[in-house]
Amino acid sequence: MKKIITLFTFVILITSCTGNDKFVQRNSIGKINKVMVVTKASDWNGDLGDKIRNSFGELMVGLPQPEPILSISQVAPNGFGSMMKVSRNVLVIGNGDKEDFFIKKNVYAQPQTIVYVYAKDDEGVIKMFQKHENEIIAAFIASDISMTQNLFKKRKLDESKYKTVQNLGVTLTIPDNFKTVDDTGEFLWLRQHLTSGIAKTGSNNILIYAIPLEDEEKVPENIVSVRDSIGAKYIPGSNPETMHMITEEAYTPFTSEITFNGLKAFETRGKWEVKNDFMAGPFLNYSIVDKKNNRILVFEGFTYAPSVNKRAFMFELEAIAKSMKIQ
């Protein structure tokens, strides 16, 4: 009987330890692209804070309004209590016994990414942050991409009903609030009507298609001409005779080479507009070199959301794009 009572008491202790994350994982909280920085107020108001703000505050390419890559807030270490510890993205930075940099997942909540940066003195902390800043930003963005994709999986569209997706032999996770605009078997256009705030008159859009692979070296320089030809063929304005989507002529898109699910690809961010009309917005284009199938596989997302910030909309399109895999 004594053993039974002891075991029962132990079980009660285990199930009631909500403060011990080894036993209970709380749900994390926090907006997309938002990071909480845990550091002393003196550091935050000094050179270290300036370095963090300048790094995370770099403007996202291709947006019509200036928006930072990541938004940040600060809390002192003694204020990093139970409520703060459930933040999804956390940077803990300051003085320690030695130089150290590491990343941990799901420490106090789930999903959660915490980046730790330490050095022996203030100058060393700044150097450690600068040394790893690209890795730090990439970790937080990847964490939010994964979280967003997991949310979309819970309300995923049935891919089997799209001729183009089936013909191209790809899989991807698209939430079920996207509706079909066009599905020719060679070109897919899906649209999500935005329902919040001023943006309720706008939309998020997805385009998926492929073109023949002719000269791999010329892929990046041909991205604009390819998307303009697709716009002329498939994406008309209010007057199809004189209006169609083009790459905004006054803004040069930014293209970078990346690895996309193991394949060479090019990410292009820029602005689109409708020729002879006043509609415009940002776009995100992934042109993937698929040598096995002798083609360039293209995923493009573009947003029309006048008078509102668009970072969150573009981030959702990026998460959808990065879920795409060739079967």
Side-chain angles (χ1 to χ4, degrees):
M1 184 67 181
K2 184 177 180 180
K3 289 182 179 180
I4 294 174
I5 293 173
T6 302
L7 178 61
F8 179 74
T9 303
F10 179 74
V11 171
I12 292 295
L13 287 172
I14 291 295
T15 56
S16 64
C17 284
T18 57
N20 190 329
D21 299 288
K22 292 181 180 179
F23 304 131
V24 178
Q25 279 286 354
R26 294 172 286 177
N27 292 326
S28 61
I29 60 173
K31 294 181 179 180
I32 292 291
N33 305 138
K34 179 72 179 290
V35 177
M36 174 175 289
V37 181
V38 181
T39 193
K40 295 182 298 182
S42 57
D43 288 339
W44 183 249
N45 295 322
D47 292 340
L48 176 60
D50 289 340
K51 295 293 183 184
I52 295 172
R53 283 186 289 273
N54 290 337
S55 179
F56 288 11
E58 183 177 341
L59 299 183
M60 183 175 285
V61 174
L63 297 183
Q65 295 101 342
E67 296 182 69
I69 295 174
L70 293 169
S71 300
I72 52 177
S73 60
Q74 179 264 343
V75 63
N78 59 7
F80 188 54
S82 178
M83 292 184 63
M84 298 295 185
K85 286 181 177 179
V86 296
S87 298
R88 190 173 63 253
N89 294 325
V90 181
L91 169 63
V92 179
I93 185 167
N95 295 347
D97 296 332
K98 61 178 181 178
E99 288 189 350
D100 211 352
F101 165 76
F102 54 96
I103 300 171
K104 286 189 175 183
K105 297 285 189 178
N106 306 332
V107 178
Y108 305 107
Q110 189 175 13
Q112 184 180 59
T113 297
I114 303 185
V115 177
Y116 298 86
V117 180
Y118 297 115
K120 293 182 178 180
D121 54 37
D122 294 347
E123 183 179 352
V125 173
I126 292 174
K127 288 182 179 179
M128 280 292 287
F129 175 76
Q130 290 178 315
K131 178 180 178 180
H132 296 284
E133 63 179 317
N134 291 336
E135 190 176 350
I136 293 169
I137 291 172
F140 289 133
I141 291 175
S143 174
D144 279 350
I145 289 285
S146 177
M147 188 275 296
T148 302
Q149 290 173 340
N150 287 332
L151 288 177
F152 289 164
K153 285 177 184 178
K154 297 176 182 179
R155 47 189 181 93
K156 183 177 181 291
L157 276 177
D158 179 9
E159 296 166 308
S160 65
K161 67 180 183 179
Y162 298 116
K163 294 182 295 183
T164 303
V165 170
Q166 297 304 307
N167 291 344
L168 293 178
V170 299
T171 63
L172 68 169
T173 301
I174 303 173
D176 58 10
N177 53 3
F178 277 85
K179 308 302 179 185
T180 305
V181 180
D182 199 1
D183 182 18
T184 70
E186 297 179 345
F187 172 83
L188 176 65
W189 179 4
L190 301 177
R191 174 182 290 154
Q192 170 201 33
H193 289 287
L194 302 176
T195 58
S196 60
I198 303 174
K200 62 185 178 182
T201 59
S203 63
N204 271 347
N205 298 265
I206 291 171
L207 309 178
I208 302 173
Y209 57 93
I211 60 172
L213 174 58
E214 296 176 350
D215 186 343
E216 184 178 336
E217 297 302 317
K218 292 185 178 180
V219 172
E221 66 186 66
N222 290 335
I223 288 172
V224 169
S225 61
V226 168
R227 72 176 308 277
D228 285 350
S229 67
I230 291 294
K233 185 176 181 179
Y234 292 110
I235 309 174
S238 56
N239 183 344
E241 298 296 324
T242 60
M243 300 176 180
H244 61 267
M245 187 173 78
I246 61 173
T247 307
E248 184 176 310
E249 296 177 348
Y251 182 92
T252 302
F254 179 80
T255 298
S256 58
E257 183 177 331
I258 63 169
T259 299
F260 190 103
N261 291 325
L263 297 177
K264 180 180 178 180
F266 297 91
E267 178 189 88
T268 301
R269 294 178 183 267
K271 299 176 185 177
W272 62 271
E273 62 183 353
V274 174
K275 186 176 182 180
N276 299 321
D277 202 353
F278 297 102
M279 295 180 68
F283 74 84
L284 172 67
N285 178 293
Y286 290 99
S287 296
I288 305 158
V289 180
D290 180 12
K291 291 184 179 180
K292 180 180 178 181
N293 295 296
N294 196 35
R295 66 184 181 177
I296 302 297
L297 182 63
V298 179
F299 177 105
E300 180 163 318
F302 67 94
T303 293
Y304 176 63
S307 303
V308 298
N309 289 337
K310 300 167 183 62
R311 182 183 68 181
F313 300 138
M314 294 305 295
F315 190 82
E316 290 184 359
L317 293 171
E318 181 180 350
I320 295 169
K322 289 181 176 178
S323 75
M324 187 168 69
K325 294 179 176 62
I326 301 174
Q327 294 176 317

